[in-house]
Amino acid sequence: MAPKIGFASLVLATLAGCGGGSVSVDNEPEPSRRTFIFWSGSSSGERVVDVKNDAFAFFSDTGCLYNFQTGRENPGFCLNAGGDRVRYGVLAMRIVNVTSAAGTCIAALVEESTAQFVDIATDAFDREAVAVTALRPSPCF
């Protein structure tokens, strides 16, 4: 059975006015010279995925999201001090290990209160826009 995701039924969190968006600074070290947080128990190492299997990572120095699709860090999309929770504007998310289609454990972003997958896309201004989907992942232990 194919999942049904209608954008009209998704809770959208486009966070243009809430601290979202990407900032590029010329004197920032290149991502290849910085390290990412490794997710224990995940076969994808430092990669974290959304519902569409798009890859993201969190820098070990700032804890902020790196978007492999745009090649940029988002300083408004960062981990909390404990390291497994993320807040982007008003949306709270967790990074949890889930079962992939291949049957391996991978790290994924899920909305904290519903435990449903999130989808991260870029809006017309090239900022991360996060939508909570109707899909719930299978936890991986």
Side-chain angles (χ1 to χ4, degrees):
M1 181 168 140
K4 296 179 186 176
I5 301 177
F7 279 100
S9 65
L10 295 177
V11 178
L12 294 178
T14 305
L15 302 164
C18 299
S22 298
V23 175
S24 179
V25 179
D26 289 334
N27 61 357
E28 249 182 65
E30 290 295 317
S32 62
R33 300 180 199 265
R34 295 170 68 192
T35 59
F36 296 119
I37 294 171
F38 179 83
W39 302 102
S40 180
S42 172
S43 65
S44 55
E46 65 251 339
R47 305 250 172 156
V48 176
V49 298
D50 68 356
V51 72
K52 292 181 183 171
N53 208 31
D54 292 328
F56 304 89
F58 290 87
F59 284 108
S60 57
D61 57 351
T62 63
C64 295
L65 180 108
Y66 177 75
N67 185 327
F68 286 99
Q69 291 72 47
T70 64
R72 290 190 311 268
E73 177 178 9
N74 185 336
F77 200 129
C78 303
L79 294 166
N80 68 343
D84 68 340
R85 287 188 166 89
V86 182
R87 197 171 256 319
Y88 187 50
V90 297
L91 190 62
M93 295 164 275
R94 291 191 74 157
I95 298 168
V96 297
N97 286 335
V98 301
T99 305
S100 72
T104 60
C105 288
I106 58 172
L109 280 161
V110 298
E111 197 273 336
E112 190 169 65
S113 66
T114 64
Q116 294 170 310
F117 273 117
V118 298
D119 181 27
I120 302 173
T122 52
D123 67 11
F125 300 102
D126 212 24
R127 297 171 295 205
E128 277 84 13
V130 182
V132 178
T133 71
L135 300 175
R136 186 165 281 147
S138 297
C140 185
F141 304 100

